[in-house]
Amino acid sequence: MSELVARTGRHQQRYEDGYRLIAGCIPFKYSIVEDGSGTPEKIVEVLMINSTSGPGLLFPKGGWENDETAEEAAEREAMEEAGVRGDLVHYLGCYSFKSKTLQDDYSPEGLCRAAVYALLVKEELECWPEKSQRERSWLNIPEAIGCCRHVWMREALEKGFSKWYADGMISTLP
């Protein structure tokens, strides 16, 4: 088995109109739980990871590089940061934010634009590139909203994922 390694550096990063382009996803799975009467109920749980730079939880995300599509970048980040693989099933939207840590020559103000997808998790890896830095947490949607570190990620969860969930979670990507 080959060792999984995370991409590093910014020499391949995409930029557009002063924004660093980011791709990420909200990984999710279906779980069966019993309600108070003993009836099984299907619920959706989302996967969040700890931040390496402070409190709160995140969804996997990172730079979208020149040699990949936004979808490929989102899948790569899910594997590198959260150790999961699956199928992208829906585009949740584009979210802009300002980052203090992502300032560079191409985006001196730290402006970022993130393409975010819903990723149906099919596999949880035992080893992944950032395993030593990350912990995974499966949460229901209200718990995830309460733990979300960044406003833009909370918006993606509330306005993108939750709306898609309420609309029946129809897969819109091949």
Side-chain angles (χ1 to χ4, degrees):
M1 181 174 101
S2 66
E3 188 173 328
L4 300 172
V5 178
R7 286 185 172 198
T8 58
R10 298 222 176 127
H11 61 283
Q12 292 255 28
Q13 299 293 291
R14 290 180 186 240
Y15 293 85
E16 183 178 273
D17 300 326
Y19 285 83
R20 180 173 180 232
L21 300 183
I22 304 286
C25 63
I26 298 178
F28 73 97
K29 68 179 180 181
Y30 299 101
S31 296
I32 305 296
V33 297
E34 287 189 20
D35 64 13
S37 67
T39 305
E41 180 184 358
K42 185 175 168 181
I43 64 161
V44 170
E45 293 180 305
V46 297
L47 178 66
M48 299 187 82
I49 54 176
N50 65 300
S51 169
T52 58
S53 62
L57 297 177
L58 313 169
F59 294 109
K61 58 92 182 108
W64 168 12
E65 299 189 356
N66 290 325
D67 64 344
E68 60 190 352
T69 65
E71 292 88 352
E72 290 168 337
E75 290 175 322
R76 176 179 52 77
E77 291 295 338
M79 186 280 298
E80 289 178 358
E81 293 188 349
V84 294
R85 289 189 175 127
D87 297 327
L88 295 179
V89 293
H90 185 69
Y91 175 65
L92 299 171
C94 184
Y95 300 88
S96 297
F97 64 99
K98 190 172 183 175
S99 171
K100 293 177 185 170
T101 60
L102 297 178
Q103 296 171 332
D104 59 25
D105 291 342
Y106 299 102
S107 180
E109 295 181 30
L111 300 175
C112 298
R113 190 174 295 136
V116 181
Y117 300 85
L119 177 101
L120 177 58
V121 173
K122 301 273 181 121
E123 180 182 13
E124 288 185 59
L125 304 173
E126 288 185 33
C127 294
W128 67 95
E130 296 187 20
K131 180 180 181 171
S132 65
Q133 304 159 314
R134 305 283 188 181
E135 291 181 24
R136 299 186 283 212
S137 299
W138 286 102
L139 306 165
N140 64 38
I141 294 170
E143 289 170 333
I145 290 169
C147 294
C148 206
R149 177 181 169 125
H150 298 299
V151 171
W152 73 270
M153 286 188 180
R154 191 173 318 115
E155 184 180 334
L157 181 58
E158 290 177 321
K159 294 182 179 170
F161 191 88
S162 294
K163 180 182 182 318
W164 177 63
Y165 174 76
D167 290 344
M169 299 181 84
I170 305 299
S171 181
T172 60
L173 296 174

